[in-house]
């Protein structure tokens, strides 16, 4: 039951940053880390979506689960950390 509480805390924290710039470090396995910066677009009950601009006219959306954050497969750097 404690894990659900932690997941709810992660979701609430992210909900307060919807629309803000965020940096995502995702562990892709075999010592590969994908680091992208984008805008936290939307939160859903089990996932959140980050909009990443890849060029002048192209963008893509990537979704991650709150469990990815809990298990540290995905590391998030929130806006207050980006400005300092």
């Amino acid at each position: 039951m404690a894990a659900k509480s932690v997941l709810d805390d992660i979701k609430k924290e992210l909900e307060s940053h919807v629309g803000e710039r965020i940096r995502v470090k995702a562990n892709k396995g075999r010592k590969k880390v994908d680091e992208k910066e984008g805008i936290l677009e939307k939160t859903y009950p089990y996932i959140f979506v980050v909009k990443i601009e890849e060029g002048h006219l192209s963008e893509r959306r990537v979704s991650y689960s709150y469990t990815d954050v809990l298990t540290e497969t995905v590391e998030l750097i929130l806006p207050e950390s980006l400005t300092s």
Side-chain angles (χ1 to χ4, degrees):
M1 203 55 142
K4 180 159 176 48
S5 173
V6 173
L7 291 175
D8 287 340
D9 291 343
I10 293 169
K11 183 176 186 285
K12 287 177 187 172
E13 176 70 21
L14 287 176
E15 284 175 345
S16 69
H17 293 286
V18 170
E20 297 179 2
R21 188 158 287 285
I22 189 170
R23 185 175 297 145
V24 180
K25 283 181 166 180
N27 182 353
K28 297 292 188 177
R30 295 202 177 235
K31 299 182 182 179
K32 294 180 187 173
V33 177
D34 187 22
E35 187 171 342
K36 299 282 185 185
E37 193 169 316
I39 296 174
L40 180 58
E41 191 170 65
K42 186 123 172 100
T43 59
Y44 293 97
Y46 299 102
I47 63 169
F48 59 96
V49 179
V50 178
K51 181 172 74 171
I52 298 170
E53 295 177 8
E54 295 185 322
H56 181 46
L57 296 175
S58 66
E59 62 183 37
R60 68 183 178 130
R61 286 168 177 79
V62 183
S63 63
Y64 300 100
S65 71
Y66 304 113
T67 307
D68 292 336
V69 177
L70 179 64
T71 60
E72 298 180 357
T73 303
V74 172
E75 179 184 347
L76 301 175
I77 302 163
L78 296 172
E80 61 269 2
S81 302
L82 291 176
T83 57
S84 54

